[in-house]
């Protein structure tokens, strides 16, 4: 395949090599910082070559596994290929690959699920250990040797600074019009030298467009021409449309009550079909000149930009369907003044989320009748993906909203449960829960009021009597309805509730 080459400064041309030669520079036991966030901007050629090398070493009876840090999820050429080769010993901070998930749940891969805003600071604090190699996808190199970021930034700034050696994938598939779309802030520091971040509006630019890099650390440049691989979004079904309708009615009420301006507050939206449906619903809303301060830019946000509903969006990465990614690449020049990509320690920073007053909208696995939310573990023990950035936004947002269909598995499981089998977001961080059944505004309610509101508004009708039965028993406890009187009994009921749909 002929690759449309992008310019490389003369001082770095000697570093151009094949993916196989670059992969040979990664050693067994190494800690590798990979670029990538929600399937965008991750290296594709070197991880595949490294997976082939690991498999060859395993066939010889030699051990070969590495530790991987990233921004968030990546793609099948990275997490999928290396997990299939049993080449990942340790992974942080987020994973959505099914092969890696299976290995994590079998105990074959160590996994550190953590808030995304905390990854870079923790790396600098030294708790994660040394970083041997950074493998970073870029879209270009300036004549001065600075790096033009790709379709995600994530933790790349930190990996480039912390790594002993750097491997670059120069991907000509990425649009050249990404140049200038990024805002890399170099003002973060550890205490006691930490200062306020000088960002007061979502469209503020506080950094520079390119990565600074020590050229002596660059050991390889691999030229590629490979698209990001993101899953398509499903067309919104009636459940998703109903959830969106309830949420839009809520936002209209907040505007009417004077709690939000006519353009709303900056939007944050987690990744998924339901949240994307909410964005689609905003196209037909009365709100104009909206902004977003979020992690990822999804299809719905591009549609809102095209319709003039969204004035601008700030994020750390794209999370586009294949069709939307193709459309963006073809028309990236139209979005350069409307989109800003930042390091995830800025896009997800609690200080900024609180200052800007974001409207946080995220999904969940289950919520209990007291308002606690499980975002990560199925039945409390099997990891699904990870907490991602939902915690960064939920605790610090102006209003924290969690959305879900009221049932899963074709109605066989209720998403509203007596007691969450695992808690990622305590009830104090959960202000609104929305299902297709309705919206429960939990602000200012005591535990009893929350339970009654969630059961009567959000639970599916076929599960409400069971939930009420559980709640009536819990109310008789000495905790005044705050919690069940016997934790073991509650967990036993939870198991029967999920397994059989009955608490009798």
């Amino acid at each position: 395949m002929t690759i449309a080459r992008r310019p490389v400064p003369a001082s770095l041309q000697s570093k151009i090599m094949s993916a196989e030669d670059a992969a040979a520079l990664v050693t067994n036991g190494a800690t590798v910082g990979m670029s990538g966030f929600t399937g965008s901007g991750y290296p594709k050629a070197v991880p595949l070559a490294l997976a082939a090398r690991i498999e060859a070493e395993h066939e010889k009876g030699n051990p070969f596994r590495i530790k991987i840090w990233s921004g968030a999820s990546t793609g099948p050429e990275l997490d999928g290929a290396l997990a299939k080769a049993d080449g990942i010993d340790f992974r942080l901070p987020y994973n959505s690959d099914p092969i890696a998930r299976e290995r994590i749940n079998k105990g074959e891969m160590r996994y550190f699920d953590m808030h995304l805003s905390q990854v870079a600071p923790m790396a600098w604090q030294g708790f994660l250990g040394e970083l041997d190699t950074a493998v970073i996808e870029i879209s270009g190199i300036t004549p001065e040797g600075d790096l033009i970021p790709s379709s995600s930034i994530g933790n790349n700034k930190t990996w480039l600074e912390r790594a002993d050696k750097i491997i670059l994938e120069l991907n000509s598939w990425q649009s050249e019009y990404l140049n200038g779309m990024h805002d890399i802030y170099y003002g973060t520091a550890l205490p006691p030298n930490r200062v306020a971040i000088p960002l007061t509006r979502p469209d503020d630019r506080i950094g520079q467009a390119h990565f600074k890099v020590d050229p002596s650390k660059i050991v390889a440049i691999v030229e590629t021409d490979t698209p990001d691989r993101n899953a398509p979004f499903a067309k919104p079904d009636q459940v998703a449309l109903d959830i969106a309708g309830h949420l839009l009615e809520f936002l209209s009420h907040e505007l009417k009550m004077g709690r939000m301006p006519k353009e709303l507050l900056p939007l944050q939206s987690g990744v998924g079909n339901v949240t994307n449906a909410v964005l689609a619903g905003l196209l037909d809303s009365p709100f104009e000149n909206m902004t977003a301060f979020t992690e990822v830019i999804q299809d719905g946000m591009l549609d809102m930009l095209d319709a003039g509903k969204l004035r601008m969006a700030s994020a750390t990465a794209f999370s586009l369907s294949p069709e939307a990614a193709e459309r963006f690449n073809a028309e990236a020049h139209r979005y350069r003044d409307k989109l800003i990509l930042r390091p995830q320690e800025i896009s997800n920073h609690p200080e900024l989320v609180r200052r800007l007053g974001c409207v946080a909208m995220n999904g969940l696995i289950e919520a209990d009748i007291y308002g606690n939310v499980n975002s990560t573990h199925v039945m409390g023990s099997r990891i699904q993906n990870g907490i991602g950035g939902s915690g960064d936004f939920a605790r610090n947002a102006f209003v924290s909203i969690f959305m879900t269909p009221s049932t899963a598995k074709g109605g066989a499981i209720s998403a509203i449960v007596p007691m969450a089998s695992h808690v990622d977001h305590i009830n104090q961080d959960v202000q609104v829960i929305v299902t297709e059944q309705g919206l429960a505004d939990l602000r200012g309610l005591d535990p009893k009021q929350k339970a009654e509101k969630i059961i009567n508004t959000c639970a599916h009708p076929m599960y409400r009597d069971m939930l009420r039965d559980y709640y009536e028993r819990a109310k008789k406890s000495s905790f005044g309805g705050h919690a069940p009187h016997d934790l073991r009994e509650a967990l036993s009921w939870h198991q029967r509730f999920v397994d059989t749909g009955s608490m009798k």
Side-chain angles (χ1 to χ4, degrees):
M1 179 182 67
T2 302
I3 294 175
R5 301 187 64 184
R6 297 226 167 129
V8 175
S11 60
L12 293 174
Q13 288 185 6
S14 64
K15 305 296 178 68
I16 298 174
M17 64 182 70
S18 68
E20 291 72 21
D21 289 342
L25 301 173
V26 179
T27 58
N28 176 41
T31 299
V32 183
M34 301 278 192
S35 64
F37 196 107
T38 59
S40 294
Y42 61 94
K44 300 146 179 95
V46 173
L48 281 173
L50 182 58
R53 180 178 169 219
I54 289 171
E55 288 178 338
E57 290 299 317
H58 287 174
E59 288 177 1
K60 298 175 185 177
N62 299 326
F64 201 131
R65 303 181 88 204
I66 63 173
K67 304 176 185 69
I68 294 179
W69 307 350
S70 69
S73 57
T74 63
E77 302 96 330
L78 199 164
D79 277 318
L82 289 170
K84 183 174 181 292
D86 192 19
I88 305 176
D89 168 54
F90 174 85
R91 182 75 172 87
L92 70 77
Y94 187 89
N95 168 73
S96 63
D97 181 80
I99 304 174
R101 180 188 302 124
E102 189 65 22
R103 288 198 180 276
I104 291 167
N105 285 320
K106 287 182 176 179
E108 299 170 353
M109 182 190 303
R110 295 181 296 147
Y111 179 52
F112 186 11
D113 171 28
M114 60 187 297
H115 297 297
L116 297 186
S117 70
Q118 296 179 352
V119 181
M122 191 170 286
W124 280 107
Q125 289 159 4
F127 295 118
L128 303 178
E130 299 299 319
L131 183 60
D132 300 301
T133 305
V135 184
I136 308 294
E137 181 181 276
I138 57 175
S139 63
I141 305 176
T142 70
E144 297 76 26
D146 291 339
L147 308 180
I148 303 171
S150 182
S151 52
S152 70
I153 292 185
N155 289 313
N156 295 354
K157 165 188 164 290
T158 300
W159 300 167
L160 291 167
E161 291 177 318
R162 294 286 292 168
D164 294 330
K165 54 188 178 183
I166 297 168
I167 297 172
L168 300 174
E169 283 200 13
L170 179 56
N171 190 349
S172 59
W173 177 84
Q174 301 284 2
S175 172
E176 292 183 286
Y177 288 102
L178 286 171
N179 190 8
M181 198 176 285
H182 309 89
D183 186 56
I184 317 299
Y185 179 62
Y186 279 92
T188 55
L190 296 178
N193 301 311
R194 185 173 288 162
V195 298
I197 298 170
L199 188 151
T200 59
R201 300 185 309 173
D203 52 354
D204 282 347
R205 287 183 174 270
I206 59 175
Q208 59 190 56
H210 306 138
F211 291 123
K212 297 182 291 187
V213 64
D214 179 354
S216 67
K217 296 203 298 184
I218 299 175
V219 296
I221 299 174
V222 178
E223 297 175 305
T224 67
D225 186 22
T226 308
D228 290 332
R229 292 199 194 183
N230 279 309
F233 290 106
K235 183 178 179 181
D237 59 13
Q238 191 58 51
V239 168
L241 293 174
D242 288 345
I243 292 172
H246 295 314
L247 185 53
L248 294 177
E249 183 179 354
F250 168 78
L251 294 174
S252 296
H253 177 72
E254 293 296 286
L255 174 60
K256 181 180 178 180
M257 297 300 294
R259 289 191 280 260
M260 289 191 195
K262 62 181 184 303
E263 66 275 13
L264 301 181
L265 291 166
L267 304 175
Q268 179 265 332
S269 174
V271 179
N273 291 320
V274 172
T275 49
N276 201 54
V278 170
L279 296 175
L282 286 167
L283 286 170
D284 299 320
S285 74
F287 310 119
E288 304 284 345
N289 295 314
M290 290 177 280
T291 61
F293 190 84
T294 186
E295 294 176 312
V296 295
I297 295 166
Q298 303 181 72
D299 292 22
M301 286 189 180
L302 286 189
D303 294 337
M304 290 171 67
L305 286 168
D306 290 343
K309 288 284 190 176
L310 189 68
R311 181 171 62 82
M312 62 78 55
S314 167
T316 193
F318 292 96
S319 182
L320 302 174
S321 67
E323 296 78 16
E326 184 178 345
R327 171 178 131 215
F328 171 80
N329 261 9
E331 302 176 356
H333 61 281
R334 295 199 301 108
Y335 298 102
R336 284 180 69 177
D337 297 331
K338 300 176 181 178
L339 298 175
I340 303 175
L341 297 184
R342 313 180 191 271
Q344 71 190 63
E345 62 182 313
I346 300 299
S347 68
N348 289 45
H349 202 294
E351 172 191 336
L352 302 178
V353 175
R354 180 73 61 89
R355 179 183 299 150
L356 297 173
C358 293
V359 177
M361 302 178 289
N362 290 286
L364 56 80
I365 290 175
E366 63 182 6
D368 68 27
I369 61 175
Y370 302 102
N372 301 296
V373 165
N374 172 12
S375 295
T376 59
H377 286 73
V378 177
M379 288 304 302
S381 61
R382 287 185 59 83
I383 189 75
Q384 182 65 20
N385 295 325
I387 195 169
S390 59
D392 298 324
F393 286 91
R395 176 157 289 187
N396 301 287
F398 178 80
V399 58
S400 172
I401 302 166
F402 285 89
M403 305 174 290
T404 180
S406 64
T407 62
K409 302 293 183 182
I413 297 176
S414 175
I416 307 299
V417 297
M419 185 176 183
S421 58
H422 171 91
V423 176
D424 294 293
H425 308 282
I426 58 175
N427 67 81
Q428 289 88 347
D429 295 337
V430 180
Q431 296 175 334
V432 176
I433 295 176
V434 194
T435 72
E436 81 283 0
Q437 300 298 320
L439 182 146
D441 185 348
L442 307 177
R443 294 174 294 180
L445 303 186
D446 70 19
K448 291 182 180 179
Q449 291 173 313
K450 286 183 179 181
E452 291 166 359
K453 187 77 168 179
I454 292 170
I455 292 170
N456 295 330
T457 306
C458 297
H460 194 280
M462 66 182 175
Y463 289 103
R464 285 178 187 162
D465 286 344
M466 303 173 205
L467 289 165
R468 289 189 187 109
D469 178 55
Y470 175 88
Y471 173 60
E472 290 301 323
R473 292 171 184 256
K475 276 202 305 184
K476 297 175 183 177
S477 76
S478 60
F479 292 94
H482 288 227
H485 64 283
D486 188 317
L487 180 60
R488 287 172 299 179
E489 180 183 3
L491 292 175
S492 175
W493 281 16
H494 180 279
Q495 182 70 53
R496 294 201 304 273
F497 184 83
V498 174
D499 286 349
T500 68
S502 173
M503 299 178 69
K504 296 179 180 178

